[in-house]
Amino acid sequence: MSLTSVVAPSPAPESVAALVGERLSLSALHQLGGTLGGYSFVKVVVDRERSMIHFLNDARHSFHAIYIGEEILGVGEERVRAEIDSYNEAFYHAPDRRFLLGILALHPQMLSLETVEVDTMPAALIREFHAFVAQYVDQSLPLLFKPANQLQERIVREIPASELPRVFAHELFSTAPFVALNPGTVTGRLRAFRTEAEYRAATLDWTDIIVMDRVPDDIPRLSGIVNARHTTPLSHTNVLATGWQIPNAVQLGALAEIERRGLDGRWVEYTVATQASSISLREVAEPAEATPRPAWYAQRVTLEEPEADHSPIVNLARLRASDRHRYGTKAANLGELHHVLACGSQRLLGFYQVPRPPRDNLLPYLARLLDVPVDADLLAAARRLLDEHVRVPRGIALPFSLQRRFLESSPRIQQAIGKLKMALELDAREIEPLCVELQGLIRSARLPGALAGEIDAALVSQLAGVRAFVVRSSSNAEDLAGFSAAGIYESRNHVTTAERIFASVKEVWASLVSVRSVRLRRQAGISLDECYMGVVIQEQVAADFGGVLVTTNPMNRADFRTVYVNVSPEVTDVVDGSALPMQYLYSTVEGGGRTVSLGDAASDLDERAHAQLQRLAIAGRLLQGHFSPDYTFDSPVDVEWLADGEHLHLVQLRPYSA
């Protein structure tokens, strides 16, 4: 493996439309095709009526349908686009279809053949498609059929492997040597760490590009990340890297290659490109002057003015998004979710109402997803989906004013806060020990009886009967469009007694002045004076599995159709990166899902769980509409969720930096 960008071979001239009726050599595949996920590929059309195969020039024909219209049916592009839905129905769903459409990709020691994700091709056509294409490809490499969706995965498993050689997407993903998580180019100093102990012993600078098997959650803002083992785009570190707009990728074997080339500690130009087959590390001279700073350096987050005067402890269901200046963004968003589920929202259909040329909108697709006629009341149908399947756990919200009253109750805490503020102003070396000292004082200070009584009374009146609670942070400096703060504040699960709840609340308050949170806020231009911490105390929900949904495809930002879902028996495993979760893509236009990775799981979820994830995907897209800050409805959301046999429980919703 060479850690340099592999440039795809130059495509054939655009005047060459396709290779028709001839065997496709590997050199012709490179000439005609493009690069997808680091693999060379070519589009394939089989004309069953004429027993003819077409390998398309990707540079000229971006869509199978346009090629078939222009080159085979004699129909102009404008007409095909105007009638695209009827053409897609004939190409991808008709049982007596004339054409079989797919993609042929070149992998090490094999070729894979797959349909597009929305294709509902039955077993007989899958067999026919594979057998026909096999006659026209290089015989030195085996041709394996790759199911494009979960329906095809179930179909293929019913066919003996001896009759249909196959490879599943999750098998390819788990061995893929390169995954582009966040594209970009940056110049910095390469720092390779083989153990977490090495990382802890090092002093990192913003110019550093770190390389590790598993990047710890507490990374400071820096210039780039290389994951030497597979990870999920939705781990805390990768969410932060996306928000910081720094190059980030998975590159298997990176540590060994860096050692071979002697790059550790050297200055390099680091590039992640989605169409490459590996990262690029090009050694450069150490800049004589300061290098261009990363994109995050210019990011300065302006907080709304908080209100820390007396506010009551309230039931989450009473909050709206506008209450974030008193209770924090997380609590306010949960309150807004309660409101949407109880009262509905005209904005739920926002994503589907936006024109997507040549379509006027996506409302007919939503009707099919909701299983109602096109002329039905779609808003009512959307509300019905949410009402039947989505819940928000009960809870209460502690306001900023409660934290302020606690801090003011202790002269020692007030003195320590003053010292920390002075050190921050002077950029003194004592910042870290002062943070540690202040956290210790907050944890150990007695919670005044009046405050403890208010929390206890609220729990008794609002959540009597609950056996276990989750205590979560709800700062005004988290869950923001420009500052997600993923994983930097504390939360506590499995909290039962009053004393443990009080201790957990103080733990959350203390996390506002942790070394890491103070450092990251300083880099974002957020003053400690501006920051307050609210707390959410929620009923802990028993669940069969849980995870994180983002209403975008992090590995293909241009893909407006699909959302990305991570699943684990323990939701914390997904976000903290301690275990590799199952990863899925679900379409919120045509419907259907694809298993991207099984992670550390031994087997995939069952069909019932897949149906639950499809509903989650649709619900997430509807809620994206409600929470959109503008009228493009394009801003994705990040949702933490739990699922039992009947319901989806949403425990957090925030903007996702895409």
Side-chain angles (χ1 to χ4, degrees):
M1 177 193 68
S2 175
L3 300 192
T4 56
S5 288
V6 177
V7 180
S10 300
E14 292 196 15
S15 59
V16 180
L19 181 67
V20 181
E22 298 180 30
R23 186 182 299 276
L24 181 73
S25 66
L26 295 183
S27 61
L29 188 155
H30 284 302
Q31 289 177 334
L32 287 171
T35 304
L36 182 66
Y39 301 113
S40 297
F41 78 97
V42 64
K43 295 184 178 71
V44 180
V45 173
V46 171
D47 185 345
R48 301 173 70 207
E49 183 178 295
R50 299 180 181 175
S51 295
M52 186 67 67
I53 194 165
H54 303 249
F55 297 105
L56 312 192
N57 183 333
D58 184 66
R60 176 168 175 179
H61 295 288
S62 300
F63 301 99
H64 292 85
I66 303 300
Y67 172 83
I68 294 172
E70 290 185 333
E71 304 294 336
I72 302 177
L73 302 179
V75 178
E77 178 178 346
E78 186 175 341
R79 178 179 166 187
V80 173
R81 289 185 178 275
E83 302 174 10
I84 191 64
D85 289 336
S86 62
Y87 279 101
N88 285 344
E89 180 68 26
F91 294 156
Y92 302 127
H93 305 298
D96 59 346
R97 65 185 78 175
R98 173 180 171 181
F99 300 104
L100 304 179
L101 284 57
I103 293 174
L104 183 72
L106 175 63
H107 306 267
Q109 302 178 334
M110 59 167 271
L111 294 164
S112 70
L113 176 67
E114 65 180 307
T115 69
V116 300
E117 293 182 5
V118 300
D119 202 309
T120 55
M121 191 180 292
L125 287 184
I126 288 174
R127 290 172 182 263
E128 178 185 335
F129 190 30
H130 177 268
F132 194 94
V133 175
Q135 302 174 63
Y136 291 93
V137 296
D138 192 305
Q139 300 299 301
S140 66
L141 294 175
L143 176 65
L144 279 61
F145 185 80
K146 177 186 171 190
N149 52 53
Q150 289 165 346
L151 170 63
Q152 288 185 2
E153 289 172 2
R154 293 193 292 271
I155 292 172
V156 165
R157 287 191 175 97
E158 296 297 319
I159 303 174
S162 58
E163 298 177 16
L164 180 72
R166 79 288 305 273
V167 62
F168 293 96
H170 64 81
E171 294 172 331
L172 290 175
F173 184 85
S174 65
T175 59
F178 167 71
V179 180
L181 297 173
N182 201 55
T185 298
V186 72
T187 298
R189 183 178 58 156
L190 198 64
R191 307 290 302 279
F193 302 110
R194 291 191 172 274
T195 66
E196 186 167 340
E198 289 181 8
Y199 165 82
R200 299 292 173 199
T203 300
L204 295 177
D205 186 72
W206 67 265
T207 60
D208 288 337
I209 300 164
I210 66 171
V211 187
M212 295 183 70
D213 280 342
R214 179 189 176 275
V215 179
D217 280 352
D218 63 353
I219 57 169
R221 289 197 178 199
L222 32 73
S223 289
I225 295 174
V226 182
N227 301 273
R229 289 186 180 175
H230 276 286
T231 181
T232 166
L234 305 188
S235 70
H236 279 150
T237 55
N238 294 328
V239 170
L240 290 171
T242 300
W244 297 339
Q245 300 174 42
I246 61 174
N248 183 23
V250 172
Q251 181 68 67
L252 302 187
L255 288 168
E257 182 70 9
I258 288 168
E259 182 176 357
R260 185 187 70 79
R261 294 175 59 189
L263 292 179
D264 188 17
R266 302 291 185 89
W267 282 78
V268 299
E269 180 185 77
Y270 170 40
T271 298
V272 176
T274 55
Q275 297 304 314
S277 58
S278 71
I279 63 173
S280 170
L281 294 175
R282 183 175 64 86
E283 187 171 0
V284 297
E286 181 175 350
E289 301 178 357
T291 65
R293 295 182 182 268
W296 59 256
Y297 193 84
Q299 295 174 356
R300 287 297 178 265
V301 179
T302 302
L303 301 183
E304 291 181 297
E305 184 175 353
E307 182 180 315
D309 294 333
H310 182 73
S311 296
I313 299 174
V314 297
N315 190 300
L316 279 175
R318 290 179 53 191
L319 295 181
R320 297 294 302 275
S322 56
D323 290 310
R324 56 185 174 268
H325 65 291
R326 295 188 296 154
Y327 294 90
T329 311
K330 189 175 298 177
N333 284 351
L334 287 170
E336 190 72 18
L337 274 172
H338 274 288
H339 174 78
V340 172
L341 296 181
C343 305
S345 167
Q346 292 292 326
R347 297 171 62 89
L348 289 175
L349 307 186
F351 171 83
Y352 292 93
Q353 291 173 317
V354 173
R356 302 279 182 180
R359 302 169 181 87
D360 293 335
N361 55 63
L362 298 176
L363 293 174
Y365 291 91
L366 178 60
R368 285 197 289 272
L369 292 171
L370 297 175
D371 196 24
V372 298
V374 175
D375 59 354
D377 184 340
L378 293 184
L379 188 58
R383 283 196 61 184
R384 189 159 54 248
L385 172 78
L386 297 179
D387 184 60
E388 292 176 356
H389 297 287
V390 178
R391 300 288 184 270
V392 179
R394 297 179 298 158
I396 60 173
L398 312 188
F400 296 159
S401 59
L402 202 72
Q403 180 214 18
R404 179 183 60 79
R405 290 162 60 195
F406 167 73
L407 297 177
E408 291 176 351
S409 71
S410 168
R412 292 185 65 195
I413 289 177
Q414 287 298 298
Q415 185 179 31
I417 291 174
K419 290 181 180 178
L420 177 58
K421 288 181 178 179
M422 180 65 70
L424 289 169
E425 287 182 11
L426 299 175
D427 195 20
R429 290 181 297 176
E430 294 82 4
I431 291 174
E432 291 195 9
L434 287 172
C435 286
V436 173
E437 178 188 0
L438 179 53
Q439 280 193 286
L441 290 173
I442 293 172
R443 293 186 184 109
S444 61
R446 184 182 63 84
L447 188 67
L451 301 188
E454 289 179 32
I455 297 172
D456 185 69
L459 290 169
V460 169
S461 64
Q462 303 294 329
L463 297 173
V466 173
R467 292 185 179 275
F469 299 86
V470 179
V471 181
R472 301 174 180 274
S473 67
S474 183
S475 170
N476 63 330
E478 66 177 314
D479 294 354
L480 307 175
F483 190 74
S484 75
I488 73 169
Y489 302 124
E490 288 294 332
S491 64
R492 288 288 184 266
N493 301 318
H494 313 296
V495 184
T496 54
T497 66
E499 287 303 316
R500 289 180 178 176
I501 287 175
F502 300 152
S504 298
V505 168
K506 290 192 293 181
E507 192 69 46
V508 171
W509 284 338
S511 67
L512 189 68
V513 291
S514 70
V515 172
R516 185 182 182 220
S517 67
V518 168
R519 179 180 61 208
L520 291 179
R521 289 196 305 269
R522 286 184 72 207
Q523 292 173 335
I526 301 174
S527 166
L528 183 59
D529 283 328
E530 302 175 275
C531 299
Y532 286 87
M533 180 65 78
V535 180
V536 171
I537 305 176
Q538 280 181 292
E539 176 183 12
Q540 183 162 315
V541 177
D544 300 324
F545 52 93
V548 178
L549 156 79
V550 292
T551 57
T552 185
N553 180 352
M555 295 183 291
N556 181 6
R557 309 295 166 77
D559 176 10
F560 69 86
R561 288 176 163 81
T562 55
V563 301
Y564 207 79
V565 186
N566 279 187
V567 179
S568 172
E570 296 290 340
V571 66
T572 54
D573 289 346
V574 175
V575 296
D576 69 11
S578 60
L580 193 59
M582 301 176 185
Q583 302 175 48
Y584 300 89
L585 286 169
Y586 278 89
S587 173
T588 57
V589 180
E590 293 89 354
R594 167 182 285 196
T595 303
V596 176
S597 171
L598 293 183
D600 293 333
S603 60
D604 204 346
L605 297 173
D606 59 26
E607 192 170 345
R608 182 179 180 183
H610 288 162
Q612 189 82 307
L613 295 181
Q614 179 71 78
R615 285 191 289 269
L616 171 70
I618 300 168
R621 192 67 90 187
L622 295 171
L623 292 170
Q624 173 182 322
H626 177 80
F627 282 88
S628 176
D630 56 35
Y631 296 95
T632 66
F633 299 102
D634 276 342
S635 300
V637 292
D638 173 328
V639 181
E640 288 187 21
W641 56 273
L642 299 166
D644 56 31
E646 300 297 328
H647 297 111
L648 298 159
H649 303 269
L650 309 188
V651 298
Q652 179 172 311
L653 184 148
R654 61 187 174 194
Y656 177 75
S657 298

